Every structure is written in structure tokens, then in C-alpha cells.
Amino acid sequence: MANAAASVLKPVAHDEQLNTGLDAKYREEMAELLSQVLISTYQLTIKSQIYHWNVVGPLFKSLHELTEEHYNALFEAADIVAERIRALGHLAPATIGETSGFSPKGKDVDHGSAIEMVKDLITDHETAVRTMRKAGVKADEAGDLVTADMLTARMTFHEKALWMLRAIITQ
């Protein structure tokens, strides 16, 4: 009985053939790229929240509020990205091994000054944008307008975040 329940609840990709104009090989490659986007989104979510909790000094209020805005937006974005992976007929990361990259490693979270925290977030946002741009170009070339549009919206968020983070530490 327990095995039957477990097999019913086990996530599976679509069994049917998708006929949306996107070939299977492309959908598989894009699902992998979007999984990388999802991982970087989660890492930034967690890191933004850690810095939100721990920032001190003259930049406290502005960074505390900005990182809260960012981690809330990033958390919502993770759902959007995961749902797009599912719409392409693939599973979003579902096992402990597949999701192990969601959390930044301890040494990757800089508990230094507020300026060091911001510089660290800038690096991660830039990395996320580069990954999304690569996926967006591939989506555009494949005629996958939905994925390209989603990635454009995500890059818009990250580039605005970069502008704001840089503005905070400019002297």
C-alpha cells in the first residue's frame, strides 16, 4: 500500500508527446539551463536573506530594506522558473542531490562589511544575468517566445538590482 501511494505521488515528466512547436532535444537542453537559473535564483534568495539579517553600519536601513525586497522577488521568481521547466515537459530539480546547489556554501557567504556584502551580491547577480542571457538567446533562436519573455523579465529584475546595489556603494 505504501509503495502504491509513493508511486502515485512521485513526480514524473509528461508522458505524452508535447506538440507545441519545440522539439524534444531543445526542451531538454532548456530545462537544464533553466535548472541552472533556478539554482542561482535560490542561492541569491538565501544569500540576500542572510545579508538582510546580518547587515550593520551606516548602510543598514537601505540594505536591510533592499535585500528584503530582493529575496521576496527572487523567491517568487523561483516558482516561475520551475513552472516553466515543467511546462517544457521536464521535472524541476526534485531530489536532494539535484537541489543541493540551492544553498550557497558557508564560505560563499561573506559576513564582512556591508560594502563587501553588496559586492558579493553584485557578483552573484551578474553571474545569474550571464546564465539567463545564454538561455534567452537559445530560447529566442528556437522560437520559444514564452521562455525568452520570462528570461527577459528575470534579467530586467537582476539588472535593476545591480544598478541599485552599485548605487548604494558608490562613493
Side-chain angles (χ1 to χ4, degrees):
M1 180 72 166
N3 286 340
S7 68
V8 170
L9 297 176
K10 182 181 178 189
V12 295
H14 296 292
D15 289 334
E16 72 275 8
Q17 294 287 6
L18 296 180
N19 187 13
T20 61
L22 301 173
D23 71 43
K25 185 176 190 285
Y26 162 79
R27 289 185 291 106
E28 182 177 357
E29 291 170 357
M30 183 52 65
E32 179 57 38
L33 282 171
L34 291 178
S35 292
Q36 292 172 19
V37 169
L38 186 59
I39 288 168
S40 66
T41 299
Y42 258 102
Q43 287 177 348
L44 257 168
T45 303
I46 293 167
K47 197 178 275 192
S48 296
Q49 193 159 35
I50 290 169
Y51 290 165
H52 166 80
W53 292 329
N54 293 301
V55 68
V56 295
L59 298 176
F60 169 77
K61 183 164 176 49
S62 57
L63 279 178
H64 186 75
E65 291 173 355
L66 185 61
T67 53
E68 183 174 11
E69 287 174 29
H70 287 180
Y71 72 69
N72 285 327
L74 288 161
F75 187 76
E76 287 181 28
D79 193 51
I80 293 166
V81 174
E83 288 178 356
R84 186 62 192 151
I85 294 168
R86 294 295 290 142
L88 291 170
H90 291 272
L91 293 175
T95 67
I96 295 298
E98 292 170 331
T99 60
S100 65
F102 282 8
S103 178
K105 309 238 181 311
K107 63 182 169 125
D108 294 337
V109 181
D110 186 342
H111 292 289
S113 71
I115 291 174
E116 289 169 335
M117 290 177 181
V118 171
K119 287 179 179 179
D120 190 38
L121 290 172
I122 287 170
T123 298
D124 287 0
H125 279 282
E126 287 176 337
T127 300
V129 168
R130 287 191 307 272
T131 302
M132 290 177 200
R133 191 173 312 283
K134 177 182 172 185
V137 167
K138 186 172 192 69
D140 192 48
E141 289 171 352
D144 183 357
L145 304 177
V146 175
T147 300
D149 185 55
M150 179 205 61
L151 289 166
T152 299
R154 298 303 327 127
M155 285 189 296
T156 300
F157 164 79
H158 286 280
E159 289 184 357
K160 184 175 181 179
L162 283 162
W163 161 57
M164 291 180 168
L165 289 165
R166 284 190 179 102
I168 286 175
I169 62 171
T170 299
Q171 298 190 20

